[in-house]
Amino acid sequence: DTGVSQNPRHKITKRGQNVTFRCDPISEHNRLYWYRQTLGQGPEFLTYFQNEAQLEKSRLLSDRFSAERPKGSFSTLEIQRTEQGDSAMYLCASSLASTVAGELFFGEGSRLTVL
Amino acid sequence: RKEVEQDPGPFNVPEGATVAFNCTYSNSASQSFFWYRQDCRKEPKLLMSVYSSGNEDGRFTAQLNRASQYISLLIRDSKLSDSATYLCVVTYSGNTPLVFGKGTRLSVIA
């Protein structure tokens, strides 16, 4: 399977704990995006990378959220001191910067439940 | 006002019906427009781009009205497999991230 891979698929945690999600994009894709989706809503943009550079991070929901893509390949999204309002599906997507701007390839998502 | 607004539905239509969804966007600087499809508990996937002249892909027709800042999607001869949420998407340039609407849910009934 050469699509976008996300791990873990499901995470249940207690309030106050830290969680980290990993995304492995399609191998030749240089752009990687993180979105969050809650029930009944469309995906909400969080941040994105071109190679290892984080080009936009002002939409990260708070300073408890951070993302890295250290070698321009996989990326991690960390949420510190989780709150119940962080419960959502976290979607990763990748694309080639040179292709049609609108074609993102999404992973199946990591579902977070904060108790 | 939200950047991209859609009627959440649900739209319940019989097989074979024609159904249309509209979407409005608030930023007149928006440059590119798309429709994505999201099946229940699945990830979004690109359905089609929306061009200024309008475009068609089989039973699906997308249109853009820049003056009124809305986008439409028309589905003819609805199939059961068309049941999904249809997400309206805009972007301001090739270097800005996609902005998604909350989606319109379609259920096609036998």
Side-chain angles (χ1 to χ4, degrees), chain A residues 51-68:
Chain A
N51 301 313
E52 64 274 12
Q54 191 171 14
L55 298 186
E56 172 62 65
K57 58 181 180 180
S58 64
R59 302 289 190 98
L60 285 168
L61 300 165
S62 79
D63 59 7
R64 297 184 296 105
F65 287 70
S66 63
E68 293 184 339

Side-chain angles (χ1 to χ4, degrees), chain A residues 8-115:
Chain A
R9 294 289 311 283
H10 303 275
K11 178 71 176 178
I12 300 173
T13 191
K14 293 182 180 179
R15 190 176 52 185
Q17 298 296 304
N18 299 343
V19 296
T20 299
F21 300 116
R22 175 177 169 129
C23 173
D24 288 89
I26 293 171
S27 58
E28 62 268 28
H29 284 183
N30 52 2
R31 284 195 174 171
L32 186 149
Y33 302 79
W34 285 100
Y35 282 81
R36 184 179 87 151
Q37 188 172 26
T38 54
L39 193 63
Q41 302 295 316
E44 177 186 12
F45 170 74
L46 297 178
T47 187
Y48 85 108
F49 297 84
Q50 181 155 318
N51 301 313
E52 64 274 12
Q54 191 171 14
L55 298 186
E56 172 62 65
K57 58 181 180 180
S58 64
R59 302 289 190 98
L60 285 168
L61 300 165
S62 79
D63 59 7
R64 297 184 296 105
F65 287 70
S66 63
E68 293 184 339
R69 193 183 185 197
K71 296 182 180 179
S73 57
F74 74 91
S75 175
T76 57
L77 176 70
E78 181 182 17
I79 309 173
Q80 296 182 326
R81 305 182 302 282
T82 53
E83 301 173 357
Q84 288 183 325
D86 297 333
S87 296
M89 178 72 84
Y90 291 85
L91 293 165
C92 175
S94 69
S95 72
L96 275 172
S98 58
T99 58
V100 173
E103 186 155 27
L104 299 188
F105 294 84
F106 282 88
E108 293 182 298
S110 293
R111 183 172 295 282
L112 173 64
T113 301
V114 182
L115 303 176

Side-chain angles (χ1 to χ4, degrees), chain B residues 53-75:
Chain B
S53 55
N55 49 300
E56 191 173 305
D57 183 1
R59 297 180 294 107
F60 298 81
T61 300
Q63 293 196 313
L64 167 65
N65 184 320
R66 286 189 184 272
S68 301
Q69 294 183 207
Y70 80 80
I71 307 145
S72 64
L73 178 68
L74 181 79
I75 306 175

Side-chain angles (χ1 to χ4, degrees), chain B residues 16-101:
Chain B
T18 295
V19 61
F21 311 133
N22 286 335
C23 160
T24 58
Y25 59 95
S26 60
N27 191 331
S28 59
S30 300
Q31 291 190 1
S32 301
F33 310 89
F34 311 90
W35 285 100
Y36 270 67
R37 169 188 170 135
Q38 187 170 26
D39 292 319
C40 189
R41 300 186 181 277
K42 295 288 190 179
E43 71 275 20
K45 293 183 179 178
L46 178 65
L47 176 66
M48 60 195 303
S49 302
V50 186
Y51 303 123
S52 297
S53 55
N55 49 300
E56 191 173 305
D57 183 1
R59 297 180 294 107
F60 298 81
T61 300
Q63 293 196 313
L64 167 65
N65 184 320
R66 286 189 184 272
S68 301
Q69 294 183 207
Y70 80 80
I71 307 145
S72 64
L73 178 68
L74 181 79
I75 306 175
R76 290 180 299 278
D77 189 22
S78 299
K79 311 292 184 190
L80 294 175
S81 58
D82 294 334
S83 298
T85 295
Y86 291 85
L87 298 159
C88 176
V89 184
V90 306
T91 186
Y92 309 119
S93 75
N95 292 317
T96 57
L98 302 186
V99 179
F100 286 78

